[in-house]
Amino acid sequence: MNQNRSGGPSKVKNKSAAPVQVTAEQILRVAHENQQTIPKAPPKQVITDQEELEDYRLRKRQQYESLIGRNRKTQAFYIKYATWEESQKDLTRARSVFERFLDVDYRIPMVWIKYAEMEMRNKNINLARNIWDRAVCLLPRVSQLWFKYTFMEDMLGNYPATRAIFERWMQWKPEPQAWNSYLKFEQRLKLFENARLIFEKYILVHPYIKTWIKYTKFEERLGNIENARIIFQRAIEFLGEDGNDEQLFIAFAKFEEKYKEIERARIIYKYAIDHVPKNRAKDLFDTFTNFEKQHGDRIGIENVVLGKKRFQYEEEIKKNSKNYDIWFDYLKMEEINGEIEKTREIYERSIGNLPPTNEKKHWKRYIYLWINYALFEELISKDIERARSVYSECIKLIPHKEFSFSKIWIMYANFEIRQLSLDKARSIYGQAIGRHPKSKIFDQYIHLEIELGNFDRVRTLYQKYLEIMPDNCDAWCKFAQLETELGETTRARAIFELAVQQPTLDRPEVIWKDYIDSEIQLKQFDHAKQLYRRLLEKTNHVKVWLGFIKFVHSIKDKQQQQQGDDTANDIHQPTREIFIEAHKALSNSEKEERLFLLESWKEFEQTFGNQESLNQVLKKIPQRVIKRRSDGSGGIEEYFDYIFPEEEQSTQTSLKLLEAAQRWKKLKQQQEIQKQQHQKQESKDDN
């Protein structure tokens, strides 16, 4: 890194504006082009007299009753029904609907909540209270019901009733959140003695460390320091071996430290270190170290703790020197300690433990030792040449003929960029492409050149990128997008054409989609339509057809808006014709694809067509039947199948032919019998 005369890092001198400025007008234009059309709201029904209102209500009730009759246990229909009755100001019917569902299944909390909220909205407090009471009696383990019940009474200012409900709730020993709500309620009313009694029950129901700590903080907020200390002591005695947790001792020691009881805090820390298992005392050591840094002999305690940790790490490394996670923890400790030479020595030891084989899965953790080493030299020790040497040695060590790591190449190049060595960065990217090219390396190199504004170099890189990876659809799309952003639409179209002509692509649908979207964005609708036709020649997938239909329909909608409403009856005919064409083209496809198309067609006709066109589509929709087949293990499984109208007709024709064949066979048998009887009669006459 370049340095000024004072020894510090040099400042950036080039503060000029970027070559390409984005204006507010461009941002608004792009946002307007990308905004989605808001779907039209359904038409509103206007009711003019009482008779029409009664007729409307009768029809709606019949619809809801029909839905409930078919789906007796579906709560959503009951809730919608009751909500609608409430909107009609008929609360008696709404209550009846809720009660009908509760007779079917009372175990669904949402129904109780909706029922009670309806009464609360209509200011029927006693009725709501009765509903909540029934709900918590039937479902006492559902906390949401209790929360809602207490909230209602609390909002009404009925504090004795709220307290009584909380007490009923606490008898069921609920989760900690319920106890916390009860405590907040009493503290809000400044009834601290009640809160203290609740805490005494709380620590028995949930005897966890965080519960005891919360109790001590409550006493501390009230200024009862001695009470808080007694609670800490009670917690250690009550929990016993389960209380040998670093969180409790750290909280106790920090409490004593806060009130200047330094010796008490030190005794607590030492007691904790002796009793808490070492594998669960990581934070305890750190906290104790920080404590001694402030109040004791810093050097002594640091040496003790660090020496102990070093011994543990060295023992682990002796067991398995290729356990890279141990090296990471060891190095992190030394970096925090701040001894540069000691840390560098451990880094050199760690990178000497090469993976056992030349398989990439064994190198994935090992390579991060080199990365951390390079970052350490650059950012902490400020030794730029040594950092460069680390990157260089790492590159030499990796067996690039078998595998490589894009990350190390990219980090090496970014390091040189930070040193303002653009030529070296380009050279590194070039080596990476030549030795083991990968998509990430190309993307980073191209991004660098785009930032520098070298678009000719970017085009060259993209050409090299596509020569090496002609099946990479992302590269084709990004190249075309770049040309489009530069205003080179002819180049972009040519790139797309080359892409779609490639014999193999990893995701061809991405290429076609971006190609079509670019033409639509340029308002080249005829060309986009031709692209859809070309795509349909390659694949007969239902999603392509639906995309084509949506595109044609959107064009016709724009034409309708330009021409007015006079052509509204004929404007959707081209879309309908494509539906017909798609239906014919998919006649030999999977049944699910054909059904998907017909469902979309039906929705289209319901929205834009008339009854006649809708009936034509409904005639084509298949019938769903249940069939059986062997599941491969000797059993029978049921599955859904679809029978289209033309299949049904062919089945009926086959049955008729079978019946005719059976009649013909029966007739032949009768003729043979008659012939045999006639021959027997003639033989008798001759005798």
Side-chain angles (χ1 to χ4, degrees):
M1 181 181 295
N2 295 334
Q3 296 182 347
N4 54 22
R5 294 180 180 179
S6 61
S10 61
K11 298 182 179 179
V12 177
K13 297 181 180 180
N14 186 7
K15 297 184 179 180
S16 60
V20 179
Q21 296 292 316
V22 180
T23 64
E25 181 183 358
Q26 291 174 324
I27 296 173
L28 292 173
R29 185 171 65 253
V30 172
H32 179 71
E33 291 174 353
N34 294 337
Q35 70 181 358
Q36 298 179 351
T37 57
I38 301 175
K40 297 180 180 178
K44 295 182 179 180
Q45 182 177 358
V46 179
I47 298 174
T48 57
D49 55 14
Q50 185 65 27
E51 182 179 356
E52 189 175 355
L53 177 61
E54 293 298 332
D55 181 62
Y56 162 73
R57 288 176 175 171
L58 178 61
R59 284 188 285 105
K60 289 292 288 185
R61 288 183 179 123
Q62 288 175 346
Q63 291 175 4
Y64 280 120
E65 290 293 342
S66 176
L67 282 174
I68 291 173
R70 294 193 303 268
N71 305 275
R72 186 167 175 267
K73 293 186 178 181
T74 304
Q75 62 175 3
F77 296 137
Y78 287 89
I79 293 174
K80 289 181 181 179
Y81 191 5
T83 304
W84 180 82
E85 291 290 1
E86 182 189 1
S87 68
Q88 301 299 312
K89 307 300 181 184
D90 196 342
L91 296 181
T92 304
R93 286 182 179 273
R95 294 187 190 104
S96 175
V97 173
F98 276 118
E99 292 293 342
R100 284 166 61 188
F101 181 77
L102 293 176
D103 290 340
V104 175
D105 189 357
Y106 66 88
R107 295 169 297 177
I108 300 179
M110 183 55 64
V111 178
W112 291 101
I113 293 170
K114 294 291 184 182
Y115 192 4
E117 288 178 348
M118 180 193 75
E119 299 293 359
M120 292 165 64
R121 281 195 300 271
N122 292 279
K123 301 182 180 180
N124 298 323
I125 302 302
N126 287 332
L127 293 176
R129 188 175 286 123
N130 292 337
I131 294 167
W132 288 125
D133 197 73
R134 288 168 58 196
V136 297
C137 287
L138 293 171
L139 302 171
R141 294 295 182 183
V142 180
S143 299
Q144 190 178 11
L145 297 173
W146 291 100
F147 277 120
K148 294 280 187 179
Y149 194 5
T150 56
F151 179 75
M152 183 190 76
E153 297 292 355
D154 193 7
M155 293 297 292
L156 293 172
N158 193 359
Y159 301 131
T162 307
R163 186 175 293 108
I165 296 167
F166 270 119
E167 286 296 332
R168 287 173 57 192
W169 189 6
M170 296 307 114
Q171 292 176 4
W172 291 95
K173 299 180 181 180
E175 68 277 4
Q177 187 179 1
W179 292 90
N180 295 335
S181 299
Y182 193 7
L183 289 166
K184 288 180 181 178
F185 166 75
E186 295 292 0
Q187 292 179 56
R188 192 173 71 249
L189 298 179
K190 300 186 183 305
L191 299 175
F192 301 115
E193 190 60 35
N194 289 352
R196 188 174 288 112
L197 295 176
I198 295 168
F199 263 118
E200 290 295 333
K201 298 177 183 177
Y202 188 7
I203 58 178
L204 295 177
V205 175
H206 297 286
Y208 307 128
I209 292 174
K210 60 182 180 181
T211 310
W212 287 93
I213 293 175
K214 188 172 292 186
Y215 192 5
T216 60
K217 289 182 179 179
F218 164 76
E219 294 290 355
E220 186 180 355
R221 284 196 300 271
L222 296 179
N224 301 326
I225 307 303
E226 191 61 34
N227 286 352
R229 182 177 290 116
I230 292 172
I231 293 168
F232 271 119
Q233 295 172 358
R234 285 175 57 194
I236 296 172
E237 295 174 1
F238 180 84
L239 296 173
E241 293 184 359
D242 295 335
N244 290 334
D245 188 276
E246 60 180 0
Q247 293 181 4
L248 179 61
F249 290 106
I250 289 172
F252 194 6
K254 286 185 176 180
F255 167 79
E256 297 292 358
E257 182 183 359
K258 181 178 179 180
Y259 293 100
K260 309 302 181 182
E261 296 287 348
I262 305 302
E263 287 304 319
R264 282 178 177 268
R266 183 175 285 108
I267 292 171
I268 293 167
Y269 276 124
K270 291 180 179 179
Y271 178 85
I273 290 173
D274 293 337
H275 290 81
V276 176
K278 299 301 183 288
N279 57 348
R280 294 188 298 170
K282 182 178 180 181
D283 292 338
L284 179 63
F285 278 108
D286 295 340
T287 309
F288 188 26
T289 303
N290 292 331
F291 171 81
E292 289 294 344
K293 285 180 180 179
Q294 297 178 17
H295 306 287
D297 188 355
R298 182 181 66 84
I299 298 176
I301 191 63
E302 282 188 355
N303 290 336
V304 170
V305 175
L306 287 174
K308 187 173 183 179
K309 295 297 290 183
R310 287 190 184 110
F311 175 77
Q312 293 175 354
Y313 285 130
E314 292 292 344
E315 290 296 317
E316 293 291 335
I317 290 170
K318 288 179 182 178
K319 294 178 183 177
N320 184 8
S321 62
K322 291 180 171 56
N323 187 348
Y324 301 122
D325 291 331
I326 300 297
W327 286 108
F328 286 128
D329 294 339
Y330 196 1
L331 289 163
K332 183 179 179 181
M333 184 193 74
E334 294 296 347
E335 286 183 12
I336 294 173
N337 189 36
E339 295 186 15
I340 302 297
E341 292 300 327
K342 180 69 175 178
T343 307
R344 185 175 289 141
E345 176 191 349
I346 298 173
Y347 268 120
E348 291 291 340
R349 288 173 55 197
S350 67
I351 61 178
N353 295 281
L354 290 173
T357 62
N358 280 349
E359 295 184 22
K360 190 171 183 178
K361 63 181 181 180
H362 295 142
W363 284 67
K364 286 183 178 179
R365 295 290 289 164
Y366 171 73
I367 204 69
Y368 276 95
L369 289 171
W370 286 93
I371 292 173
N372 291 347
Y373 189 11
L375 293 175
F376 166 78
E377 294 292 357
E378 179 187 1
L379 302 177
I380 297 178
S381 67
K382 307 294 184 181
D383 193 335
I384 303 303
E385 289 301 324
R386 188 181 287 272
R388 183 177 285 114
S389 174
V390 171
Y391 278 119
S392 177
E393 292 299 322
C394 179
I395 293 297
K396 294 177 182 178
L397 189 65
I398 298 172
H400 298 285
K401 292 183 180 180
E402 300 178 21
F403 59 86
S404 185
F405 292 93
S406 303
K407 189 176 186 67
I408 193 69
W409 289 106
I410 293 169
M411 292 190 68
Y412 190 9
N414 289 337
F415 164 78
E416 295 295 351
I417 291 170
R418 288 194 293 274
Q419 312 312 317
L420 304 180
S421 302
L422 294 178
D423 291 337
K424 289 184 178 180
R426 289 192 178 102
S427 175
I428 292 165
Y429 278 128
Q431 291 180 45
I433 293 171
R435 300 180 73 173
H436 202 96
K438 287 190 174 183
S439 299
K440 291 182 180 179
I441 296 172
F442 275 109
D443 291 338
Q444 289 292 326
Y445 195 2
I446 290 169
H447 177 73
L448 170 64
E449 298 297 346
I450 290 175
E451 291 291 322
L452 296 173
N454 298 328
F455 296 110
D456 291 335
R457 191 185 291 270
V458 172
R459 290 190 178 101
T460 303
L461 287 173
Y462 267 121
Q463 291 172 6
K464 184 68 174 178
Y465 192 174
L466 295 172
E467 286 177 6
I468 297 173
M469 305 175 191
D471 59 341
N472 192 321
C473 292
D474 288 336
W476 288 103
C477 293
K478 290 177 182 177
F479 193 8
Q481 182 182 0
L482 173 69
E483 297 293 355
T484 303
E485 291 175 354
L486 295 175
E488 298 288 346
T489 55
T490 304
R491 282 176 175 267
R493 188 176 289 116
I495 291 166
F496 276 124
E497 285 294 334
L498 285 173
V500 298
Q501 292 172 11
Q502 296 300 313
T504 57
L505 292 170
D506 55 359
R507 291 186 297 163
E509 66 277 4
V510 175
I511 292 288
W512 284 99
K513 183 180 182 301
D514 285 4
Y515 194 3
I516 293 170
D517 289 345
S518 67
E519 296 297 336
I520 294 173
Q521 189 174 3
L522 295 172
K523 298 183 179 181
Q524 300 293 328
F525 301 123
D526 292 337
H527 195 198
K529 189 179 294 185
Q530 293 174 7
L531 289 175
Y532 267 116
R533 290 294 182 186
R534 289 170 57 188
L535 179 57
L536 288 170
E537 291 176 1
K538 291 179 174 291
T539 177
N540 195 32
H541 200 276
V542 64
K543 290 187 178 180
V544 180
W545 281 107
L546 290 176
F548 188 20
I549 291 166
K550 184 179 179 182
F551 162 70
V552 172
H553 182 63
S554 64
I555 294 175
K556 297 305 177 184
D557 280 346
K558 293 178 182 178
Q559 292 177 355
Q560 181 181 1
Q561 293 174 2
Q562 295 174 358
Q563 296 174 3
D565 296 332
D566 297 337
T567 60
N569 294 329
D570 299 328
I571 197 68
H572 302 298
Q573 185 59 31
T575 307
R576 189 174 291 110
E577 291 176 356
I578 298 176
F579 267 118
I580 296 171
E581 182 183 354
H583 181 63
K584 292 179 180 178
L586 295 172
S587 59
N588 295 325
S589 299
E590 296 290 336
K591 292 184 178 181
E592 287 76 8
E593 293 187 5
R594 298 171 64 188
L595 179 62
F596 188 29
L597 176 69
L598 288 171
E599 291 292 339
S600 301
W601 193 358
K602 184 178 75 172
E603 292 178 5
F604 169 79
E605 295 295 350
Q606 287 174 342
T607 307
F608 303 104
N610 50 32
Q611 189 61 40
E612 181 182 356
S613 61
L614 178 60
N615 291 336
Q616 293 295 327
V617 179
L618 293 176
K619 292 178 182 178
K620 301 178 185 295
I621 292 179
Q623 179 185 3
R624 190 171 75 164
V625 296
I626 299 177
K627 293 185 177 181
R628 295 182 178 180
R629 63 187 175 192
S630 175
D631 59 1
S633 60
I636 301 298
E637 65 177 0
E638 292 184 347
Y639 69 98
F640 288 111
D641 195 11
Y642 299 96
I643 299 177
F644 287 84
E646 56 269 19
E647 294 178 354
E648 189 174 357
Q649 292 175 2
S650 63
T651 303
Q652 292 176 357
T653 304
S654 300
L655 290 174
K656 289 179 180 179
L657 291 173
L658 182 60
E659 290 176 358
Q662 290 176 348
R663 288 198 301 270
W664 179 81
K665 184 178 180 181
K666 188 175 181 181
L667 180 61
K668 293 294 287 182
Q669 289 175 351
Q670 291 176 353
Q671 290 176 356
E672 286 291 334
I673 292 171
Q674 291 176 359
K675 185 177 179 181
Q676 291 176 2
Q677 291 176 351
H678 183 67
Q679 290 176 354
K680 288 180 180 179
Q681 187 65 33
E682 287 181 350
S683 63
K684 287 180 180 180
D685 293 342
D686 292 340
N687 294 331

